[in-house]
Amino acid sequence: MPADHIERLRREGRIVIVGASLAGLRAAETLRAEGFAGDLTLIGDEPHEPYDRPPLSKSALLGVASPLRTQLPRRREIDAKWRLGVAATGLDLAAKRVRLADGDEVEYDRLLIATGVRARPWFKEEEARLDGVCVLRTREDAADLARRLRAGPRRVFVIGAGFAGSEVASACREMGLPVSMAERAGAPLVGALGGVVGSVAADLATEHGVDLRTHVTVTALEGDTVGRVRAVHLSDESVVEADVVVVSLGSLRNTEWLTGSGLGAGPRGVACDAGCRAFDFRGIVTDDVFVAGDVARSPHALFGYQFLSLEHWGNAVAQAETAAHNMICDGADRRPHLWMPAFWSSMFGVNIKSVGVPPMGEQLMITQGSLAERRFVGVYGHQGRIVAAVTFDNARWLEFYQRQIERGAPFPVEFPTLDRRPEGRQPVPAGFPDPSLPTHGPMVTLSGYSPADQQLVFHPSRH
Amino acid sequence: MRLVVDLNKCQGYAQCAFLAPDVFAMHGEESLLYDPRPEEEQRERVARAVAACPVRAITADGLDRAGASQGASDAR
């Protein structure tokens, strides 16, 4: 009986994919590749067919690629009905219907949620509207920023030194533009790779002429009389004049449209099982709603079944393929999503790549090369196991370390390597912020002796 | 013609940059920059680059006539 049901679904079922980007497209292709012959609808809030985003913060800014021409190649015909330029606004789980912004409703037998994330905007709306204050997520964002950079601003200010912010700063320096970058932590990339590797990224940035300011937060963006941004105010009371400000403060998951639907969806994403089936808010798995890509949070067997949200290109592809496969088959044929987390970045001429989950590691060993040469392999350990590796211009070793992670190889790393230096013989603390301390909590203290002198002093958090 | 490189897979062998230098370029020692929407006259070179990549990291459509019309019919 269930087999009949699946047969009918594959032959004449209705599948709706909400989110028409990398994960949505690859899921659609996989459904057709695996023999789904029913109705397929792709819904996307952007008016464009699926395009690739990684080039937007690299080649597109450097003029190697046009930000308006990064449409993803098709691996096969998908014969889908496209609903582009219209956002999904609601989900009725019981009636199996997706509500759209234009008032329409689309019914499904199986639903895939792949709505991804969006750029976190500057938190003061009025300042965010100043001309010259940019975010970088969509292709329009990239086209706008590329145009502003080509116009030769006097100074660019990047708020946030994560991967995207650092890539923008790198592109600016390559174009010869003066650029400042502010970071709340002590170095760039600290959240993703820890303080030890972050300090290498800090050296790279400053040596390439970036005015890097750490342990500070931006307190205000100042505009001129005609509404163009002209200066950035920092928590150390310094003021930097800049006519382009790039807000690079991470992302927000697109789950608001699921509010009230009964799914286990919120600011941290949509929770799902290892087979990409969404959980409802009671923690019970659904059987017809699946999740993939940046918006998904799924448990990973290799990392203690922790729920991981991975904003990784490769995760979007692999999770979409697994979700699509599982959507159109029976329980016993379903596969778990066991993709090894991996990402890349390039900045200041250095190729940075990682496998595993670095922020899980408490300790780090430099097993090849050296930090000083900016060419190394760093291995992260957690409770006696290797959980991640990062390379700076040493990517060919990653496959080897990926297998070590998959096999639960011991940490500290025991095997000898050819070019291990003294600094790599003992593990060191990796330098991630203490997760028990609030990262956003600045302190305010009183100073001054007499009540008349007393002033509030603002201290940003120190990690 | 559209293409994308899986940069997780890419290990900087630079075969593509050698075979289709107007589409692929090394940036620094290991990282790759590429034009995701190369001109039609690059078709032959891109096809060779796709075939030559030791880790099969390049996906391109429209490399043959059938593929080219496929993209168009799916556009909306």
Side-chain angles (χ1 to χ4, degrees):
Chain A
M1 184 65 187
D4 284 354
H5 173 72
I6 286 291
E7 253 333 292
R8 198 168 343 110
L9 172 75
R10 295 173 70 98
R11 207 172 49 241
E12 58 199 42
R14 298 159 302 175
I15 293 185
V16 171
I17 298 175
V18 183
S21 192
L22 179 62
L25 176 64
R26 293 297 181 240
E29 290 167 345
T30 306
L31 286 168
R32 291 304 190 203
E34 297 200 4
F36 174 66
D39 282 345
L40 183 56
T41 305
L42 267 92
I43 298 165
D45 61 344
E46 291 189 65
H48 318 294
E49 56 179 305
Y51 60 90
D52 205 27
R53 296 181 200 275
L56 299 181
S57 57
K58 307 172 189 80
S59 18
L61 295 185
L62 294 173
V64 177
S66 160
L68 305 181
R69 290 163 66 92
T70 68
Q71 291 96 338
L72 286 159
R74 301 287 169 80
R75 300 202 289 211
R76 60 163 42 247
E77 177 85 55
I78 60 173
D79 184 25
K81 187 172 177 201
W82 294 84
R83 302 290 300 262
L84 296 176
V86 54
T89 53
L91 171 63
D92 186 334
L93 276 182
K96 298 193 175 190
R97 272 202 291 263
V98 175
R99 280 192 298 278
L100 303 183
D102 62 8
D104 215 353
E105 296 196 328
V106 190
E107 293 189 328
Y108 62 83
D109 299 304
R110 292 273 193 275
L111 170 68
L112 178 67
I113 296 171
T115 41
V117 301
R118 63 184 184 278
R120 185 189 297 277
W122 182 240
F123 69 102
K124 297 181 192 173
E125 278 178 41
E126 208 165 296
E127 295 177 2
R129 277 196 298 270
L130 289 170
D131 185 32
V133 176
C134 310
V135 293
L136 182 50
R137 177 75 195 169
T138 67
R139 68 185 220 179
E140 284 79 13
D141 295 339
D144 175 57
L145 182 58
R147 182 178 57 77
R148 288 175 190 276
L149 298 186
R150 272 198 308 277
R154 281 172 299 130
R155 177 167 290 275
V156 179
F157 196 103
V158 180
I159 309 177
F163 283 107
S166 299
E167 287 170 9
V168 170
S170 170
C172 288
R173 289 309 302 144
E174 206 161 316
M175 298 168 80
L177 298 171
V179 56
S180 301
M181 180 160 64
E183 170 58 42
R184 190 179 64 207
L189 316 184
V190 164
L193 298 174
V196 177
V197 176
S199 70
V200 181
D203 291 344
L204 268 174
T206 48
E207 276 165 32
H208 282 81
V210 176
D211 165 38
L212 176 67
R213 292 152 185 257
T214 56
H215 292 306
V216 291
T217 56
V218 171
T219 53
L221 305 178
E222 182 189 330
D224 63 13
T225 49
V226 291
R228 285 181 307 226
V229 71
R230 62 169 295 274
V232 177
H233 293 251
L234 299 168
S235 56
D236 61 4
E237 297 187 357
S238 57
V239 179
V240 180
E241 287 192 16
D243 31 21
V244 174
V245 172
V246 183
V247 179
S248 190
L249 294 171
S251 53
L252 301 171
R253 286 165 218 283
N254 293 319
T255 55
E256 290 84 352
W257 69 284
L258 296 167
T259 304
S261 67
L263 276 190
R268 295 205 283 171
V270 183
C272 62
D273 74 355
C276 310
R277 295 180 298 176
F279 286 128
D280 70 14
F281 75 97
R282 303 168 299 176
I284 297 176
V285 78
T286 57
D287 215 33
D288 41 24
V289 181
F290 292 72
V291 199
D294 292 1
V295 78
R297 279 181 79 216
S298 66
H300 201 304
L302 274 183
F303 302 97
Y305 293 95
Q306 258 193 61
F307 278 77
L308 299 178
S309 299
L310 299 167
E311 290 175 34
H312 296 169
W313 192 93
N315 185 64
V317 174
Q319 201 167 21
E321 290 169 353
T322 303
H325 170 85
N326 290 347
M327 285 171 93
I328 52 169
C329 67
D330 258 336
D333 298 324
R334 285 181 176 153
R335 294 195 301 246
H337 174 55
L338 286 177
W339 185 75
M340 175 67 68
F343 65 84
W344 75 85
S345 175
S346 62
M347 58 186 75
F348 309 108
V350 174
N351 190 30
I352 302 176
K353 282 190 166 190
S354 153
V355 292
V357 186
M360 232 181 130
E362 296 102 28
Q363 291 187 305
L364 174 72
M365 278 179 91
I366 304 303
T367 56
Q368 274 146 298
S370 86
L371 296 170
E373 290 161 32
R374 287 70 180 278
R375 191 182 173 93
F376 61 88
V377 179
V379 177
Y380 295 83
H382 171 68
Q383 295 184 347
R385 281 178 62 171
I386 297 178
V387 290
V390 63
T391 59
F392 274 46
D393 272 352
N394 237 322
R396 274 168 225 189
W397 281 101
L398 276 185
E399 219 179 290
F400 169 77
Y401 287 98
Q402 177 173 335
R403 285 198 300 275
Q404 301 293 311
I405 300 165
E406 286 166 350
R407 289 168 188 171
F411 185 93
V413 176
E414 286 161 352
F415 49 81
T417 54
L418 278 180
D419 62 342
R420 190 176 309 185
R421 313 294 165 74
E423 72 186 83
R425 298 211 177 106
Q426 291 298 325
V428 297
F432 285 102
D434 182 346
S436 68
L437 295 172
T439 55
H440 289 66
M443 280 192 323
V444 173
T445 55
L446 283 174
S447 72
Y449 181 71
S450 81
D453 294 341
Q454 275 193 345
Q455 280 190 329
L456 283 176
V457 181
F458 179 86
H459 309 275
S461 53
R462 301 288 297 178
H463 45 260
Chain B
M1 186 177 29
R2 311 185 264 202
L3 64 89
V4 68
V5 180
D6 182 341
L7 290 171
N8 283 318
K9 284 188 189 164
C10 173
Q11 294 187 7
Y13 286 101
Q15 294 296 306
C16 55
F18 175 70
L19 290 164
D22 292 334
V23 180
F24 305 94
M26 298 311 292
H27 191 244
E29 278 185 52
E30 279 197 7
S31 46
L32 179 72
L33 289 185
Y34 62 92
D35 178 356
R37 194 80 179 262
E39 299 298 329
E40 276 308 300
E41 65 256 29
Q42 298 291 330
R43 180 187 302 273
E44 193 53 38
R45 291 195 187 92
V46 169
R48 261 183 263 149
V50 170
C53 176
V55 290
R56 301 259 161 212
I58 311 169
T59 304
D61 66 8
L63 285 181
D64 49 54
R65 291 279 158 231
S69 61
Q70 214 178 71
S73 68
D74 267 348
R76 275 258 166 166

